[in-house]
Amino acid sequence: MARSLSGGWVICGMRTARWRLGAKKLDNLVGMSNLRSTPHVTGKQLFLAILALLFVLILGFGSYIVFALTAGLSGEEVTQTIVWSILIVSVLALLGLIGVAYKCKISWSSLGIVKPRLRLLHVLWQIPVLFLGILAVQTIFVFLFFSGNPPETNSSSKMLPHLGAGAKIALIFATAIITPLWEELFFRGFLWSYLRGKFSIIWAVLLTAVIFALGHGIPVLLPYMISVGLCLSYLRWFHQSIWGGVLLHMFINGLISLLGLLVL
């Protein structure tokens, strides 16, 4: 009996050693052998980043709602102010996260903010390949559960035609540039760094993708958002920085915004 138990522990130990060796080889494959020496975001620092985002989002959109209700705005004026409020809140969210990083003295490298390397040129093939994969996932989901007719998820189709030139530029700037920056800084910066300090690379990728998808709060787009999150997490691991994810995020948001403005 004792021999069988000791033999079982030996086998488990050998499997664990092989798993760690495989993980080490995986990290070495992209030059992440120095990962353990890189400082990670702590739970307290992540909590402060979440509080900063919640404060900005609640205060920003809460102020807009109060203003819209008390100012007696017309339909077109409401549409215009929504766009500008999105831009303002996005800028404040980015500044809030940067402020937390400065306040907590978090190293930029732990957030994935490092000097871009030539390896970043891989995005020239990664972005189109990953984007096609994301579209394939959402297309299959729509055909399986909605018979090829995607459900209406918001009223943006009714809002876009009423935007002026300035508001359209503000919308594209907010959704295609500022939003990808602050979302990547939080999800693939603060959150990724915290999870990477606690879990293996596989769990960090999966958890970051799922939390990213749930954070957007659109159930019918959950498969799409999870696939986007997985791709962004993959780029975070592959490039050892947030820049690959930022570029893919900007590409997706910018393309959707431009198509929405051109078609409608």
Side-chain angles (χ1 to χ4, degrees), residues 51-115:
L51 283 183
L53 285 181
L54 290 176
F55 176 78
V56 169
L57 294 175
I58 294 174
L59 179 63
F61 288 116
S63 300
Y64 162 74
I65 292 174
V66 171
F67 172 75
L69 292 175
T70 58
L73 302 177
S74 63
E76 292 188 6
E77 290 173 334
V78 168
T79 300
Q80 301 284 338
T81 54
I82 288 177
V83 172
W84 290 105
S85 66
I86 291 174
L87 175 59
I88 293 172
V89 169
S90 298
V91 171
L92 291 178
L94 179 60
L95 294 177
L97 292 175
I98 294 175
V100 171
Y102 271 114
K103 181 69 175 179
C104 297
K105 298 180 180 180
I106 302 173
S107 66
W108 295 117
S109 60
S110 65
L111 297 176
I113 302 176
V114 297
K115 183 179 179 180

Side-chain angles (χ1 to χ4, degrees), residues 196-217:
R196 194 64 183 95
K198 299 292 183 180
F199 305 103
S200 66
I201 182 65
I202 295 176
W203 279 110
V205 168
L206 293 176
L207 289 174
T208 306
V210 171
I211 295 172
F212 172 79
L214 294 176
H216 284 75

Side-chain angles (χ1 to χ4, degrees), residues 52-228:
L53 285 181
L54 290 176
F55 176 78
V56 169
L57 294 175
I58 294 174
L59 179 63
F61 288 116
S63 300
Y64 162 74
I65 292 174
V66 171
F67 172 75
L69 292 175
T70 58
L73 302 177
S74 63
E76 292 188 6
E77 290 173 334
V78 168
T79 300
Q80 301 284 338
T81 54
I82 288 177
V83 172
W84 290 105
S85 66
I86 291 174
L87 175 59
I88 293 172
V89 169
S90 298
V91 171
L92 291 178
L94 179 60
L95 294 177
L97 292 175
I98 294 175
V100 171
Y102 271 114
K103 181 69 175 179
C104 297
K105 298 180 180 180
I106 302 173
S107 66
W108 295 117
S109 60
S110 65
L111 297 176
I113 302 176
V114 297
K115 183 179 179 180
R117 301 179 302 166
L118 287 176
R119 189 179 184 83
L120 190 59
L121 292 176
H122 281 281
V123 296
L124 295 176
W125 66 265
Q126 289 172 333
I127 287 180
V129 169
L130 294 176
F131 181 67
L132 290 176
I134 293 168
L135 286 182
V137 170
Q138 184 61 19
T139 301
I140 293 172
F141 175 75
V142 169
F143 273 94
L144 287 178
F145 294 96
F146 298 99
S147 301
N149 297 313
E152 184 71 27
T153 57
N154 52 57
S155 58
S156 60
S157 59
K158 300 177 182 179
M159 178 182 73
L160 293 177
H162 302 289
L163 295 179
K168 289 180 179 180
I169 295 175
L171 179 63
I172 294 175
F173 185 70
T175 58
I177 298 179
I178 304 300
T179 296
L181 283 173
W182 77 256
E183 287 192 353
E184 290 308 302
L185 179 57
F186 176 73
F187 288 104
R188 257 64 58 177
F190 282 89
L191 181 61
W192 170 274
S193 181
Y194 172 76
L195 294 175
R196 194 64 183 95
K198 299 292 183 180
F199 305 103
S200 66
I201 182 65
I202 295 176
W203 279 110
V205 168
L206 293 176
L207 289 174
T208 306
V210 171
I211 295 172
F212 172 79
L214 294 176
H216 284 75
I218 308 177
V220 295
L221 292 180
L222 193 60
Y224 166 80
M225 296 308 305
I226 290 179
S227 60
V228 171

